[in-house]
Amino acid sequence: MSYDLPGDASRALLQRGLPHLRNGIHYTRASQKSASKGYVPPAQFIVGRAEGDYVWDLDGNQYIDFQNGWATNPLGNCHPEILEAVHEAQRQYGFQWEHPLRIPLAERLASIMPSGSLPRFSFEVSGTEAAESAIHLALCHTQRRYIVSFTSCFHGEGLGTKMVSAYNSDNNLYMEGWAGGVLKAPFPYSEEIPAGMDQAQYTEYCLWYIETHLTEYVVPAENIAAILVEPGLAEGGNWIPSKAFMQGLRRICDKFDWLLIADEVLTGLGRTGTMWAVEHFDVVPDILVAGKNLSGGIEPCAGVAARDEILGDNPRATAGSTFAGTPGGCAAALKTLEIYERDAVLTHTQHLAGVAMQRMSDWESRYEIVSQVRGLGLLLGVSFRAGREDIEDFHIARSVRDEMLKRGLWAICDNEPQVRMYPALNMAEDVLLEGLSRMEEAIEAVQRSGGVTIGDYPPMPSGNVGF
Ligand SMILES: Cc1ncc(COP(=O)(O)O)c(C=O)c1O
């Protein structure tokens, strides 16, 4: 077994994809850019097999899976009961739109929505479509034109969701004209807090920006339809908002008669230890967007839940698509929710979350390169810093993630100075602890090397699958 990544089989397949897959060139450039700065290009592999808490790459190397199909496999990889439920639905209905599983699933979802106040559900295939559908729903229901969304947020890669997302300043390039209905507000939790402000002051400022600045100087309040927020900034770095912020948003929405849309595509269905992240903040949204975990990690299923009057009688807000709520997707969701209840999965998740935070509790004080450890349930993030001018913080995070891979542990480091971890909600406790031990070893290795891990890897094939 060799963790010199990518291994031969992954490398050969990555090479084959270069001329054909999107971003082959982009990824080559990203690798060259890393190399030109003296950094190792991101390590890669292709999954050859996935089961439970583990994945194996094409070369047979085993990894503990904190990546979790981009936080999409709530009960681990290839859960056999969910697989069987999906196969059964597919054997029985193949693909028919008018199959009988959508209604029991909508009923079940209504019963688990926050405070039972979002009884209707509109099916979509992906989180992207569901977020776009929620926006459209809000515009049509309020008959207004503007949506407030946040910096650093991510809602998908469709045209509409690209416009409300604000990953970085390149995010809306060439689409500026299309994003006319979006008002971007600062999200108070990130690497950057303005100098001289503490977290509480900045949170207050961000609420003031929406309540006063936007409404008095940018767009009249009566033209704004909704605030769209992730109640746990996921792709933006697993940042966790405070109760004061989330309740502040609810108060502003109530004051101006705006809708509050919670995008729970990643935070929902147990990721944060409660069924929905909004429950941590005692906030009930008017519209809730769900996806990812609803698939049970097997078959796509997503959609939008809303208050009765928003989704019950809103003829202009058309939605859905051919594959919205497929038989397999609905069967996966129903079985997933059945297992959550039968096995008290969220109780286990809360226990694991406590174990993880306890295990990581001294990392900030022990390691200079660790600037913050944070978690809400199993939405876990660690921010890194270089502490020196010649190395970007992002490089430290990426190096730690690569050292983790070398030790058989997979987690996410995209373009930000963070490593994000999404263990399965039912992960075995000893596997979680083993993963965190490997992560700590990786942190120690990067800290020892002063953040310079150049030359540890063979040259990259400049593949096209980044993570
Ligand atoms: C909060 C949030 N919304 C929407 C999406 C888009 O979901 P999908 O990738 O299923 O289209 C994501 C994906 O990561 C997400 O994290």
Side-chain angles (χ1 to χ4, degrees):
M1 199 127 57
S2 155
Y3 286 98
D4 277 344
L5 300 176
D8 292 342
S10 289
R11 179 184 297 262
L13 192 58
L14 286 165
Q15 292 282 22
R16 274 175 57 193
L18 272 181
H20 303 297
L21 294 184
R22 199 168 71 85
N23 280 342
I25 303 287
H26 165 83
Y27 208 72
T28 306
R29 286 206 195 106
S31 296
Q32 283 164 351
K33 195 170 141 200
S34 295
S36 74
K37 289 182 174 178
Y39 302 158
V40 281
Q44 284 183 280
F45 63 80
I46 293 187
V47 174
R49 184 160 79 86
E51 191 184 318
D53 294 334
Y54 300 95
V55 297
W56 290 258
D57 68 19
L58 284 181
D59 295 277
N61 300 309
Q62 187 196 53
Y63 304 84
I64 292 174
D65 188 7
F66 282 3
Q67 199 265 12
N68 196 252
W70 294 91
T72 301
N73 302 326
L75 301 174
N77 291 293
C78 302
H79 193 285
E81 288 177 83
I82 305 173
L83 268 176
E84 183 45 38
V86 170
H87 287 167
E88 194 183 312
Q90 288 173 335
R91 273 194 298 268
Q92 185 145 355
Y93 314 111
F95 177 73
Q96 288 294 334
W97 204 91
E98 289 81 359
H99 65 85
L101 303 179
R102 215 179 266 112
I103 293 169
L105 177 55
E107 248 171 23
R108 184 82 182 84
L109 287 165
S111 75
I112 60 167
M113 282 296 154
S115 83
S117 64
L118 309 174
R120 289 184 189 266
F121 198 79
S122 175
F123 286 92
E124 301 289 346
V125 182
S126 65
T128 298
E129 287 160 284
E132 297 200 347
S133 180
I135 293 165
H136 188 226
L137 194 59
L139 297 175
C140 292
H141 176 72
T142 58
Q143 301 184 347
R144 296 173 182 179
R145 289 181 170 75
Y146 288 91
I147 297 284
V148 178
S149 68
F150 292 95
T151 51
S152 312
C153 71
F154 180 76
H155 300 284
E157 289 287 2
L159 189 55
T161 37
K162 274 192 164 97
M163 288 185 282
V164 286
S165 297
Y167 229 8
N168 56 44
S169 55
D170 279 347
N171 194 238
N172 273 13
L173 199 61
Y174 312 125
M175 298 194 309
E176 293 88 343
W178 293 68
V182 182
L183 304 167
K184 297 261 169 68
F187 193 79
Y189 305 88
S190 76
E191 305 291 349
E192 313 284 351
I193 291 191
M197 274 193 187
D198 63 25
Q199 183 67 72
Q201 288 167 329
Y202 189 43
T203 303
E204 287 248 320
Y205 168 81
C206 292
L207 290 169
W208 170 87
Y209 182 91
I210 299 170
E211 183 171 6
T212 307
H213 176 79
L214 282 185
T215 59
E216 287 186 11
Y217 300 104
V218 184
V219 168
E222 57 272 22
N223 269 355
I224 295 175
I227 296 178
L228 170 65
V229 66
E230 288 174 80
L233 204 67
E235 294 290 325
N238 284 3
W239 292 95
I240 297 146
S242 62
K243 206 168 186 174
F245 180 64
M246 291 301 295
Q247 293 194 344
L249 296 183
R250 181 69 269 181
R251 181 185 57 72
I252 294 169
C253 285
D254 290 343
K255 172 174 167 185
F256 293 127
D257 203 17
W258 301 346
L259 301 178
L260 183 64
I261 308 174
D263 181 346
E264 293 246 22
V265 167
L266 195 147
T267 53
L269 291 140
R271 171 53 52 199
T272 68
T274 48
M275 190 59 86
W276 308 104
V278 287
E279 292 168 40
H280 292 283
F281 313 111
D282 295 327
V283 161
V284 180
D286 304 289
I287 299 177
L288 185 149
V289 189
K292 286 192 184 269
N293 280 354
L294 200 56
S295 69
I298 304 291
E299 193 71 14
C301 191
V304 181
R307 289 208 326 258
D308 201 36
E309 67 273 28
I310 298 172
L311 205 42
D313 183 22
N314 194 341
R316 293 200 73 84
T318 54
S321 64
T322 304
F323 291 111
T326 56
C330 290
L334 280 164
K335 184 54 79 178
T336 302
L337 293 173
E338 184 190 316
I339 297 173
Y340 274 28
E341 192 171 346
R342 183 193 73 198
D343 297 352
V345 169
L346 300 193
T347 307
H348 180 73
T349 307
Q350 285 159 15
H351 172 72
L352 284 188
V355 167
M357 289 312 284
Q358 170 69 28
R359 181 67 185 75
M360 298 189 290
S361 60
D362 61 353
W363 287 6
E364 282 173 26
S365 57
R366 288 187 62 179
Y367 302 106
E368 271 165 41
I369 59 170
V370 173
S371 56
Q372 197 191 58
V373 172
R374 50 185 176 273
L376 187 65
L378 290 177
L379 185 86
L380 303 169
V382 180
S383 286
F384 291 91
R385 63 175 162 228
R388 44 191 273 194
E389 292 282 302
D390 57 332
I391 295 183
E392 291 165 33
D393 294 345
F394 159 67
H395 172 64
I396 300 296
R398 178 51 74 69
S399 298
V400 169
R401 201 290 310 261
D402 287 357
E403 289 293 323
M404 288 162 68
L405 284 176
K406 284 166 83 176
R407 289 164 175 78
L409 171 66
W410 192 20
I412 298 176
C413 174
D414 245 347
N415 295 301
E416 302 296 327
Q418 301 118 16
V419 173
R420 293 184 284 136
M421 298 98 85
Y422 304 108
L425 307 185
N426 66 345
M427 183 171 265
E429 185 174 336
D430 58 334
V431 178
L432 179 91
L433 283 169
E434 173 60 26
L436 291 172
S437 293
R438 292 181 195 184
M439 182 163 180
E440 187 164 10
E441 279 173 28
I443 294 171
E444 272 164 8
V446 175
Q447 170 128 342
R448 261 200 317 275
S449 73
V452 185
T453 55
I454 304 156
D456 277 345
Y457 288 90
M460 280 289 298
S462 306
N464 39 34
V465 184
F467 54 83

